Amino acid sequence: MYKDLDTSLRTIMTPGPVEVDPRVLRAMCTPILGQFDPQFTGIMNETMEMLRKLFQTENHWAFPIDGTSRAGIEAVLASIIEPGDVVLVPIYGRFGHLLVEISQRYGAKVVTLETEWGTVFPPQTVIEKIREVRPKIVAMVHGETSTACMQPLKEIGAASREVGALFVVDAVATIGGTPVKVDEWMIDAAIGGTQKCLSVPSGMAPITFNSRVEEVLLRRKRVERGLAERVTSAEWDDGVIRTNYFDLSQLMDYWGPARLNHHTEATSMLYALREGLRLVLEEGLEARFKRHLRHEAALMAGLEAMGLSLYGERVNKLTPVTAVSIPAGIDGEAVRAMLLNDFDIEIASSFGPLKGKIWRIGTMGYSGRQKNVLHVLGALEAVLLRFGAKVNAGKAVQAALDVYHDK
Amino acid sequence: MYKDLDTSLRTIMTPGPVEVDPRVLRAMCTPILGQFDPQFTGIMNETMEMLRKLFQTENHWAFPIDGTSRAGIEAVLASIIEPGDVVLVPIYGRFGHLLVEISQRYGAKVVTLETEWGTVFPPQTVIEKIREVRPKIVAMVHGETSTACMQPLKEIGAASREVGALFVVDAVATIGGTPVKVDEWMIDAAIGGTQKCLSVPSGMAPITFNSRVEEVLLRRKRVERGLAERVTSAEWDDGVIRTNYFDLSQLMDYWGPARLNHHTEATSMLYALREGLRLVLEEGLEARFKRHLRHEAALMAGLEAMGLSLYGERVNKLTPVTAVSIPAGIDGEAVRAMLLNDFDIEIASSFGPLKGKIWRIGTMGYSGRQKNVLHVLGALEAVLLRFGAKVNAGKAVQAALDVYHDK
């Protein structure tokens, strides 16, 4: 009645989830180990070590949350926000709003700063606000996939530290594709995504945090797990982290030498993440970032040669995602459908004010391959011609090839 | 520097995570699809349909939470508990305490009822408490892996409904291994586990809930996602579900026809779950439950023939987990280590008051195979002899074989 999985082999050129590296797929096939098997705890430790390199940090704590990217964001915010805390969120796209929403749900007084979609903040604007508001937490998105913009963070980290604020960065879209220098930029907690530049399936969220965050966690009252004496207290306690699953203080005891039972680690996803990290470290961070720049350059050259307009400020463009304006008179969704049905290519639309106005094309991780970039350019040109759009026929693939051939 | 995964092929006879069916491992190797690809949303719908059959329910809502089992428990409790709500938790082992802890974190006034570990409640005891307390929610564990006991639920479900309480059941350890009749037992929300009787890796938590739960969700104020107008309100609002990731009302919009973007579904884990469900439905629920009874019987016969004492009341034993007392003078951890290192077998210890007193041996899902049961019995006998324990040598495997040969 239910058949064997029989899916099309798509070329996935979205801001994620993107194509999974075949080595990662194979790693997931490995028969599992128990969570307290010494071989498995060894794999957990090794993964922490590799994550530190990915995040370019000396932090002790670097481990995945067993959930999708926003689970990592919620784990960090839920564990450090106490009701009434002031959280400053500079917003330049859809995922800034997510930081606001999560912070509010945990009782924060959120102060926002907004800039037009397609732009980022001059660091000085954010710095002045930090000095004015003196928040407990500054939470910010590094790469906004909704607008394909990337916020420079370094000076903001320094300003946050200056006023004693914790600097929390959503690096979901950037980790593994463009530099995320946790220590150098004075980021106190960072959250990465697996299904984007790491080319690992969605389902885990690597995070790292430093001793400043750890101090907050340990200062907050810890709920002892399953102790009968707590049962008699029905009082709400503001100091308690309001979630069990995302309580980073419990997760430290699970990932640390105590190995206190919390959840059951998601074995096969951990194998996937470990293999994805191994691929990153084998390629080398710098080489990987260069590769992302190269495919971005080829894609942009192709799109412009075709006669399309890129969306957003070029100077702060998010490397692994390119936003392009949908030509006037063209139905963006019809183009996407034809790309999917006739060419097995997926590109993305966008959110909110940009819905129907731009397409977003990713060149992330394993999806960032010359073959894919040339295929998407050729296909987009063909579909646009089919829909009667004015494009410079025959130019796009040539322009991309020029980039690849260093001409 | 970091090597290819090179793990031992363990015989995993714990209460989970257990061995993953090879067909499930292979399903995870499938190249992924984007989350809004029509092929993928088709797979999501198919998985919902199969989950309804697993839970034996007509509920519309049945989908996985992207996290481990306790993520499913937290999603249900977080979405229905409002601060001050009275939650009744009858506790007969470690995981009852988890229900208490999660409920307290979300501001519930928890009332508990406890019985000695190794026993369960006479339904009448719980029913009387329900009538006395008249809670908003009754939360209970169906199968306690910590003690290998299983609570009869049917009459408790009816009593909960009688007073208008929602009946929430942690069926993590039982789903797919022994009957969980959601509709017949009047369970309003149930949470299953993947890494136990379903033989799928840890990392997803299938849940189901009915229209009574849905009403509560829809009555609670919904936080609109990422709307700037909310940003101005810094007030804490008691009606708001306190988590974004586990907000079931948002998840309904993601799993329902609106397909509103929430998290990015964990593709490969969903493929794994779908294949695990396909295996369950191909085998048939009744046949699968019988198989679990058969391996339990063989294991118990073998352990008793060896001269060991089973722990806990036999009449309410949890089918897929068998608890056995560690013989006096034997170091339970040394036995477990030798089983692991010499025989590649993992069995479990226990928690709290049972630490060092019992071993727990699972016969769950794909780990429930004749080969595995005979291997663990032979190995345990050998190790106990090695440690100088008094056992009836040569009896255990014979007794299990008698069960398998229907003698």
Side-chain angles (χ1 to χ4, degrees), chain A residues 358-392:
Chain A
I358 63 167
W359 292 303
R360 298 175 303 145
I361 305 177
T363 41
M364 292 177 146
Y366 185 69
S367 281
R369 304 201 301 288
Q370 182 172 332
K371 169 196 173 180
N372 282 6
V373 171
L374 298 178
H375 183 42
V376 76
L377 287 170
L380 185 59
E381 178 186 309
V383 174
L384 286 172
L385 285 172
R386 194 86 184 172
F387 281 97
K390 280 187 201 153
V391 296
N392 306 321

Side-chain angles (χ1 to χ4, degrees), chain B residues 1 25 30 35 38 49 61 97 123 139 153-154 157 164 169 175 194 211 316 330 333 337 339-340 368 390:
Chain B
M1 173 170 184
L25 292 176
T30 312
Q35 66 172 330
E49 201 176 289
W61 296 111
H97 289 284
L153 295 177
K154 190 177 176 170
V169 171
I175 198 76
T194 53
S211 56
N316 291 309
I330 294 294
E333 288 308 288
L339 283 172
L340 191 72
K390 280 188 200 150

Side-chain angles (χ1 to χ4, degrees), chain A residues 124 127-128 130-132 134-135 138 154-167 186 188 212:
Chain A
Q124 200 51 37
I127 291 168
E128 281 163 20
I130 290 172
R131 288 180 182 153
E132 175 202 326
R134 303 186 73 85
V138 178
K154 189 175 176 171
E155 295 157 285
I156 298 172
S160 301
R161 190 144 313 175
E162 190 189 296
V163 303
L166 295 173
F167 188 36
M186 299 194 193
D188 296 297
R212 300 177 78 227

